[in-house]
Amino acid sequence: MSASSWFCFAFSCFLHVSMLTSQRITIIMTYADPSEYPYVVKVNRMDENSRNHTGMFLAVSRNYLFSTTLIAGTQKENMILTDQQGNVRTPFSLTTVASSFVYVKVCKKLAPGKKFSMSETSFNNLSTTVSNATVLFYNDPGYSDDHILKKIEQSTIMSVENCTATYGAENAEKFACLEKDAALGFCGYFTDYFQNTNPPAFRRYAALAVDGQVIAFESDSGCECCNQVAVRTKIANYTRISYHRKEIIAGMPPGSIDIV
């Protein structure tokens, strides 16, 4: 089996293509322009095993951002926030909201510009299969491009009906189900768990976006231990923001969200 990869820099865009010619499977990872998802801010934290956890917060205003406890943890002292221009933002406070989410207030305001919309109509209801979804993620610290948002496009999110068949009706409302992916190396972007390292050295948490709007945070990557070819063998599930939307809004300070 042959494989090739190349890097292409053009118009501030980074292209990484991994191709298996025998299976005709291609993974394309590119840089997201800061104007595409300007409200996405990187978070990195270390756990008790000195493992890097890297994910993202979503800025709902210049001072307030939210994420999940799985991604961000619950201790502001353990996290580093970095915007897409590479500026570090210090969290002034951290509060748990809607049981599995947290929001932070940053000391220095984020740059002016589009913020994340919490309007109900901004979220795709997944009544039909979405075949052009985007997986978003960041590299962990140590890479020259670790503050730049990465994306894998043309990912498929199952409809609520199809997700129900896998996870049951209640969970299908809570989660967005990402189809299995036979492409070699997909999981390698997100963890080295498949290499049977214990504990893994890094974990990168992704988010799902549809038409420029992030709709869900990763809760299960679908990547299993000891899968040496790093193929996503399970249906991945992501926590849908829309399901918790009202709780998140109610739990944040009045006036802290620009678009409700």
Side-chain angles (χ1 to χ4, degrees), residues 50-237:
S50 298
R51 178 175 66 164
N52 272 305
H53 294 257
T54 304
M56 63 197 71
F57 271 83
L58 306 178
V60 292
S61 67
R62 294 184 67 186
N63 278 119
Y64 287 90
L65 311 88
F66 78 96
S67 186
T68 65
T69 53
L70 174 66
I71 295 170
T74 57
Q75 302 293 323
K76 66 183 179 67
E77 294 80 10
N78 292 341
M79 65 175 62
I80 299 173
L81 301 177
T82 311
D83 66 23
Q84 293 184 55
Q85 288 70 46
N87 302 309
V88 174
R89 304 289 176 171
T90 304
F92 174 75
S93 62
L94 180 147
T95 305
T96 301
V97 61
S99 70
S100 58
F101 288 81
V102 293
Y103 72 83
V104 296
K105 181 179 181 180
V106 292
C107 297
K108 186 177 181 181
K109 288 184 177 181
L110 298 170
K114 180 183 177 183
K115 298 300 179 280
F116 183 73
S117 173
M118 291 294 284
S119 169
E120 185 174 5
T121 58
S122 297
F123 298 94
N124 189 301
N125 64 11
L126 304 184
S127 58
T128 60
T129 295
V130 178
S131 58
N132 62 343
T134 301
V135 178
L136 301 172
F137 67 99
Y138 282 101
N139 279 344
D140 40 303
Y143 294 84
S144 60
D145 63 349
D146 61 25
H147 67 283
I148 301 176
L149 185 63
K150 317 299 187 300
K151 62 181 181 178
I152 298 174
E153 299 179 300
Q154 302 304 313
S155 297
T156 300
I157 305 176
M158 301 163 65
S159 67
V160 170
E161 180 181 359
N162 290 338
C163 189
T164 297
T166 302
Y167 286 106
E170 181 180 356
N171 286 329
E173 292 297 323
K174 297 178 182 179
F175 298 115
C177 295
L178 191 65
E179 284 277 19
K180 297 177 184 178
D181 196 314
L184 182 72
F186 186 96
C187 290
Y189 283 121
F190 305 104
T191 183
D192 58 353
Y193 184 47
F194 65 88
Q195 294 176 341
N196 199 21
T197 56
N198 188 22
F202 67 89
R203 183 71 173 85
R204 301 170 188 148
Y205 296 92
L208 289 180
V210 178
D211 297 328
Q213 170 83 359
V214 172
I215 66 166
F217 289 108
E218 181 189 311
S219 52
D220 183 344
S221 67
C223 298
E224 298 182 284
C225 175
C226 316
N227 175 357
Q228 294 298 320
V229 292
V231 173
R232 194 174 72 241
T233 54
K234 299 192 306 179
I235 294 173
N237 63 65

Side-chain angles (χ1 to χ4, degrees), residues 30-47:
T30 61
Y31 281 169
D33 187 273
S35 64
E36 292 183 79
Y37 304 92
Y39 51 78
V40 174
V41 175
K42 176 187 172 182
V43 60
N44 178 255
R45 66 180 176 88
M46 299 287 285
D47 65 17

